[in-house]
Amino acid sequence: MHDLPDTHPRAASLRLRYTIAEHAKTGLVAETGPVSHGRGEAFDYILGEATPAPVMDDIRAAAALLLSAKWPVISVNGNTAALAPEAVADLAKAIPAKVEVNVFYGRTHEREKMIAEFLASRGCGDVLGVDPQARVPNLASSRGSVDKDGIAKADVVIVPLEDGDRAEALVAWGKKVISIDLNPISRTAQTATLNICDNVVRALPALAKVARELKGKQDEIEKLIASIDNAKASKRIFAFMRERLARLEEEMDRRKKG
Ligand code: ATP
Ligand code: MG
C-alpha cells in the first residue's frame, strides 16, 4: 500500500482510490471500475466527503424499507466488494439480508466466483449470484442474469453502485430498489425507489447502525416507509450541493480579498 500520511487532506479518498487500483489488478474490479470510481469521487468532493444531513433521513428510510422486506437482497458489484466487504457483511447480518454478486461489466463465471469468494472471506457467508439461472425481464445480455434465490425472489433490493438500465428494469419488475449513488443525476439515482446520495463506504455502515436501532420499532418503521419520496430526496440533495458550492465560492472570494 502507498505511503500516505494521515494528515494529507485527501488521505481517506486516496486510500479508497488505491484500494480500487489494487483490486483492478486482480480483476475483482472491472476494467471500467476505476472510471466509475472517479465519477463518484468527483461528486463526493462536492459533498465534502461526508454524509450530508438530509441523506441521513434517506438512510433511515432505506433501513426501514430493508427491515420491512420479506426477501431483502444486497446486490454487490466489484467496486463495492473491493471498498466495503465487511460493511456488506455487517449490513447483511443486521437486516438480515442475502448477498448476491451482481456485476454489470465483465460478467464471467471466474469473476462471479472471485467476488463471491472474496466476500465470503470477509464474513458475507453464502453469497448468491454465481452461475445465476434467472433473468431480469426485458434486460438483454449478461447484465440481466440474477440468482433465482436472490434478486429474482426479492421484494427489496439494495444496489450500492448500479447501472441505470438495470435499476430501471428492476423497478419495472416490481422490486423496491434502494440505490447508493453519489451522482444524484444518474439514471440509477433518478429511477430508484430511493437513492442514498453518499459513498458506499459511509452509507453501508450507517445503514447497519440505523437498522439495529430501528429493529422492532414497527410504528417508526412504517412512518419512515410512508415518508419515502425519491423526487423530494433528490431535490434536497441538489439544494445541499448548491448551498455548499455557494459557500465555497464565498470563502474563495474572501480569501482572495483577504
Ligand atoms: P447511470 O447509468 O445510472 O446514468 P452512470 O453511467 O453515471 O449511471 P456508471 O459509471 O455506470 O454510472 O456507475 C458508477 C456510478 O456510481 C456513478 O454514478 C458514480 O457516481 C457512482 N459511484 C462510484 N463510486 C461510488 C462510491 N464509492 N459510492 C457511491 N457511489 C459511487
Ligand atoms: Mg451507466
Side-chain angles (χ1 to χ4, degrees):
M1 198 47 81
H2 302 249
D3 183 25
L4 191 68
D6 287 334
T7 49
H8 189 293
R10 308 237 72 75
S13 170
L14 289 173
R15 280 206 184 94
L16 297 183
R17 186 183 287 188
Y18 296 149
T19 302
I20 289 287
E22 293 296 326
H23 287 291
K25 281 184 210 154
T26 67
L28 187 98
V29 163
E31 215 170 39
T32 53
V35 180
S36 297
H37 184 76
R39 183 174 281 168
E41 272 183 352
F43 283 98
D44 210 6
Y45 215 125
I46 296 174
L47 293 186
E49 289 164 352
T51 305
V55 174
M56 266 322 294
D57 293 340
D58 302 328
I59 288 174
R60 287 181 69 75
L65 195 55
L66 283 166
L67 286 171
S68 75
K70 289 198 174 66
W71 203 266
V73 174
I74 309 172
S75 164
V76 183
N77 77 332
N79 282 33
T80 304
L83 292 176
E86 286 92 0
V88 170
D90 193 43
L91 180 62
K93 283 188 195 109
I95 299 298
K98 308 231 171 295
V99 177
E100 175 168 341
V101 176
N102 239 295
V103 297
F104 32 102
Y105 299 113
R107 185 157 199 153
T108 60
H109 166 76
E110 285 69 33
R111 192 151 170 259
E112 285 166 354
K113 204 160 155 271
M114 184 186 204
I115 297 173
E117 282 171 2
F118 181 77
L119 288 168
S121 77
R122 302 303 176 97
C124 286
D126 290 331
V127 178
L128 302 169
V130 180
D131 299 327
Q133 301 299 317
R135 303 278 318 165
V136 181
N138 305 314
L139 193 61
S141 83
S142 62
R143 289 183 312 166
S145 300
V146 283
D147 200 296
K148 64 175 180 19
D149 298 315
I151 291 176
K153 232 170 139 176
D155 49 348
V156 178
V157 188
I158 175 157
V159 289
L161 304 204
E162 180 58 289
D163 171 74
D165 287 339
R166 207 170 55 188
E168 216 171 311
L170 289 175
V171 170
W173 197 8
K175 314 287 180 193
K176 293 211 161 68
V177 174
I178 300 162
S179 58
I180 303 177
D181 192 333
L182 280 158
N183 174 5
I185 314 164
S186 80
R187 286 173 309 144
T188 301
Q190 295 287 325
T191 51
T193 309
L194 181 63
N195 181 55
I196 297 171
C197 184
D198 198 9
N199 198 311
V200 295
V201 302
R202 296 187 301 265
L204 288 169
L207 276 164
K209 181 168 181 281
V210 171
R212 289 194 170 99
E213 287 163 9
L214 278 176
K215 208 164 243 185
K217 296 182 183 155
Q218 208 43 45
D219 288 353
E220 202 176 341
I221 289 173
E222 275 162 33
K223 252 190 236 148
L224 282 165
I225 294 173
S227 77
I228 292 175
D229 180 344
N230 198 40
K232 201 165 127 200
S234 156
K235 275 191 169 305
R236 294 211 300 171
I237 195 69
F238 283 128
F240 177 90
M241 286 180 167
R242 263 199 313 275
E243 282 157 26
R244 194 174 132 79
L245 287 173
R247 214 166 45 241
L248 290 173
E249 188 183 358
E250 278 165 23
E251 277 169 24
M252 221 168 65
D253 287 346
R254 258 203 310 278
R255 268 203 304 275
K256 257 194 223 144
K257 282 182 198 140

